[in-house]
Amino acid sequence: MVHVIDAAPQSAAPALTDTAILDQAVEDVLGLMLGVPVTVADEAVVASAVPPITLTAVIGLAGALSGAYTVLVTAPAAIRMTACLMGMEIDSLDDSVYDGLGEITNMLAGAWKSRIPSLNAACLLSVPTVVTGTQYEVHKRSSAFRLVRSYRFNEHVFTVTIHGETP
């Protein structure tokens, strides 16, 4: 389990950094909707300069919370997640995997924010963007809070990061 929290601003609801809320959203989306059992993982996925290829899906957050919701996975994990979403076998990275990972990230971000009353109607989500490669970093502006949590499904691990600040 990876759990990093930087101090949230006084005005932010404690729910923003509540891992139980994130865990439930992940379980609902992957466990219930995709039929993939999920557990909290001890290790995190890290984008590296050497293979395997990693993918990062980014959803921007705006309104009551300004920041981003990201999901970092290896290529095999993204393929497996998308195959579960689509209910069909997929054996390589293609546009369907990029779209599928973006949609899964959108569902995860939506499920997370819907559990926090102050964000449900007052926080907008952007269209997902998916970055792929073996040598990249996603740079984020300094944030008032950051929540990082990794999950295991089957033999794969993915890492969710939520960061931002309240206006």
Side-chain angles (χ1 to χ4, degrees):
M1 167 175 67
V2 175
H3 178 194
V4 178
I5 299 176
D6 295 336
Q10 294 286 9
S11 62
L16 294 176
T17 56
D18 186 342
T19 58
I21 292 173
L22 180 58
D23 293 348
Q24 188 59 54
V26 169
E27 177 58 33
D28 284 355
V29 171
L30 292 175
L32 297 177
M33 294 175 78
L34 302 184
V36 179
V38 179
T39 58
V40 174
D42 292 329
E43 69 275 13
V45 178
V46 178
S48 66
V50 295
I53 292 174
T54 55
L55 294 87
T56 301
V58 181
I59 301 279
L61 307 168
L65 177 64
S66 177
Y69 187 110
T70 66
V71 173
L72 175 62
V73 297
T74 62
I79 290 168
R80 177 71 178 127
M81 291 170 108
T82 300
C84 290
L85 176 68
M86 297 175 70
M88 57 188 270
E89 288 299 315
I90 299 173
D91 55 8
S92 63
L93 281 178
D94 60 20
D95 286 341
S96 67
V97 175
Y98 306 134
D99 291 344
L101 180 60
E103 182 54 33
I104 290 166
T105 303
N106 190 46
M107 291 187 310
L108 288 168
W112 172 75
K113 85 170 187 99
S114 73
R115 285 174 170 69
I116 303 172
S118 62
L119 297 185
N120 191 22
C123 180
L124 302 174
L125 303 178
S126 73
V127 173
T129 298
V130 177
V131 179
T132 183
T134 57
Q135 190 172 4
Y136 66 90
E137 291 181 43
V138 178
H139 296 275
K140 301 170 208 83
R141 195 176 138 204
S142 178
S143 299
F145 79 93
R146 190 178 114 180
L147 175 63
V148 180
R149 189 96 155 149
S150 293
Y151 299 92
R152 175 171 295 289
F153 69 102
N154 298 329
E155 70 279 7
H156 303 288
V157 174
F158 66 97
T159 299
V160 173
T161 303
I162 306 168
H163 70 92
E165 52 196 51
T166 55

